[in-house]
Amino acid sequence: MKSIEAKVVVLGSQGVGKTSVVIRYVGGMFSKAVSPTIGASFFTYKMTLNNYRIKLQVWDTAGQERFRSMAPMYYRKANAAMLIYDLTSADSFYDIKDWVGELKKNVDTPIVMCLVGNKCDMSDCREVTSIDAEEYASTIGALNHETSALKNTEAYSVTRVLLVTRVAITEFAILLAPP
Amino acid sequence: MAERKKEADHLPTSESDQDDFIEPDPPVVTNQAVADTFVNIDYEDLVNPDYDSHPSGYIHEIVRQGSHDDDDEPRVAVSSVSDVSTGEESSEDHTEISTKEISQALDEVSKLQHPEVSLEDEEEIDEVDTQEWRQRKKHVFILSQAGKPVYTRFGNEDKLVTVMGVMSALVSFVQDSKDLVRFMVAGDHKFVFLVREHLILVCVSHGAESSQQILLHLSYVYNQILSVLTFSTLHRIFKQRRNYDLRRLLTGAEKFLDNLLNMMDTEPGMLLGAVRCLPLDSQVRDNIAQTIVQNAKVKDLVFALILANNQLVTLVRMKKYFLHPMDLHLIINLVNASESFKAAESWTPICLPKFDSSGFLQAHISYLDDRCETCLLLLSVDRESFFILSECRNKIKERLVKYNALKAISDSLMKTSYSIQQCGISDLRHFLYKSRHMAQFTSPELEAPYLSETEQERLCGLYFYLHHRIHTSARPLKILYTVGPHETLLGWVTQSFELYAVFGPLVTKVAAIQAINKLLRWVKREEDRLFIPNHVTF
Ligand SMILES: Nc1nc2c(ncn2[C@@H]2O[C@H](COP(=O)(O)OP(=O)(O)OP(=O)(O)O)[C@@H](O)[C@H]2O)c(=O)[nH]1
Ligand SMILES: [Mg+2]
């Protein structure tokens, strides 16, 4: 079995649920007590997939404006970027465009992008339609998914995000794998 | 460094430079001299409203002297920079300025004074007009030089645009006459101003602190902002746009300001410019420090420290740098106010204004135990060193577990620090002892009668009073003995220590002196456990 390390950076506006998604992803739970991230938090996650032993190094960044200038430090060496928005906030979706622009400009190594609409348990207050998200994702060549860190139901489970990200990682593994 | 120098130039006067903790050392006092320097003061005014019929503390009494004739029409005493006296003198020595701005200010002030506001239109009621808001003991406002609201401790800045506008008008009005407003007294309230190059900080208080103590608190608040943004950023932003809304960059940082202010209400450390150490066997502490030194040999690592429950466990520093107590308090505040460090290893910028206000250090922050009590901070100038530091952290953790040091820390946290009984001095109720050269202090647990919140607040007020009386710049004292109906207070400042002791009301002067000498011997004996004499260097 081959081992690879993959660096994932989680980007998105303040309060969209980046930390909640990561904690769900890494720890398998929803913590009500998450508080705004200061600087950035570092998580590791191990998994095996298609004969690869993959160690994910996840940088969960802070959405607060004052940390914005620190972001390059985390995405520069990233192999995958999770771009998280809150589907009940159109603004948080528009902010993704800035992130994508920044990544395109500053990262020259191949990076897998995954667009994630969080909080789909509150789809009553939805401000971003699935169609818009899908359309945008395809224009930037990103994977697209909706999820809820809160309600880990079958339909919207983070397991599915995980799956999507795994697919992303596999793609990445293929990129990395010697020909 | 140059940036810091520049900043220093903007300080209003050297007298008001509350940033400086290094006070001129008073000459050593022998016991004989001590007896001669006793000052008896009228203690009557320093009583709890609960005990006394007239709801006034010491501060209120002073205020009343200044504006005794008419309670309904607060007179404003404006004290300017040319007048370096404390609040006490200012009320006699006030300059009355009659201008539109001042009268405007008076209107606003009287808003604070008169609770009975017509409540005609419920919808239209401003925050400022609510009883609750007005009765807050200590308001803190921050505004830009252009008068834009930046922060308010209570309520919403947007609702306070007018009040802040008046404050900035007041400041610039006095500035126009090449002067600087430092504080005013209006009725029960003190208005204290800290004017920095880009920001104006105002505290409106009817609590027990003196104006100078409030000024010190404001400078902590200012430094907290620098800690989040750096002075360079602040400077750059306001140079580019005088009208910038700083709240954009401070979102999420309000909680640090809130937490700092709350801490200052109850913790004497900031007033004393000293930190509290976690009581630990000195060998265990050395062991911890050595573990850090051996396992964190990393270029560019400036400070490494362990905190537990707001107390310093150990500090390791680069040989040529010192960690100023003010910076250390900001670090403690950062850890205290952030839950997010408990979730995972974190990597965050922090500016330590006393160390270097022009730039950030990068902090690796992690808890070493599952209960998230023992926090390790590694502060480096290298932004790229996270993974190296993370490795150091793992090694340090492993060793500390192996040596049972983490357990020693949690044991110390479990048992209450120490009871005043352990000092074996009858009639001594509580004390604060600060070692001046270590910038550390110790105090026993709070026990009866200081268990209720009001009693604790009152005790805190006693310390504010004692500290103020001793350090008041007009006539600093070496020792102060003062008898009141509920307590007898004794404060003593020498070159090496500051001691503030609270006795029962019946203790005699001789007995108090004896008790203090006994206490000093006790502290000496316990010194190794309660203090960190030298910080180890890398
Ligand atoms: N309803 C709902 N609430 C969520 C969900 N995920 C997160 N939240 C809530 O959204 C808030 C913000 O969550 P965080 O995970 O702290 O958001 P963040 O993006 O990490 O925020 P920053 O660290 O400040 O950038 C919290 O109150 C969460 O409880 C979700 O799927 N559904
Ligand atoms: Mg977060």
Side-chain angles (χ1 to χ4, degrees), chain B residues 501-534:
Chain B
V502 176
F503 292 92
L506 298 176
V507 73
T508 63
K509 200 184 287 182
V510 177
I513 289 286
Q514 275 172 355
I516 287 300
N517 283 324
K518 201 170 162 194
L519 177 63
L520 289 175
R521 282 197 298 275
W522 183 86
V523 171
K524 188 96 209 127
R525 268 203 313 278
E526 298 289 319
E527 204 168 46
D528 281 354
R529 208 169 57 86
L530 301 176
F531 295 96
I532 310 175
N534 313 297

Side-chain angles (χ1 to χ4, degrees), chain A residues 15-20 30 34 36-37 63 118-119 121-122 148-150:
Chain A
V16 296
K18 297 181 291 300
T19 305
S20 303
F30 181 78
V34 291
T37 307
N118 188 36
K119 306 199 186 178
D121 54 287
M122 306 213 302
S148 160
L150 173 72

Side-chain angles (χ1 to χ4, degrees), chain B residues 401-418:
Chain B
V401 170
K402 201 164 113 198
Y403 303 148
N404 272 332
L406 282 187
K407 183 161 182 314
I409 292 171
S410 77
D411 285 351
S412 175
L413 283 169
M414 287 272 271
K415 54 176 188 248
T416 53
S417 161
Y418 57 93

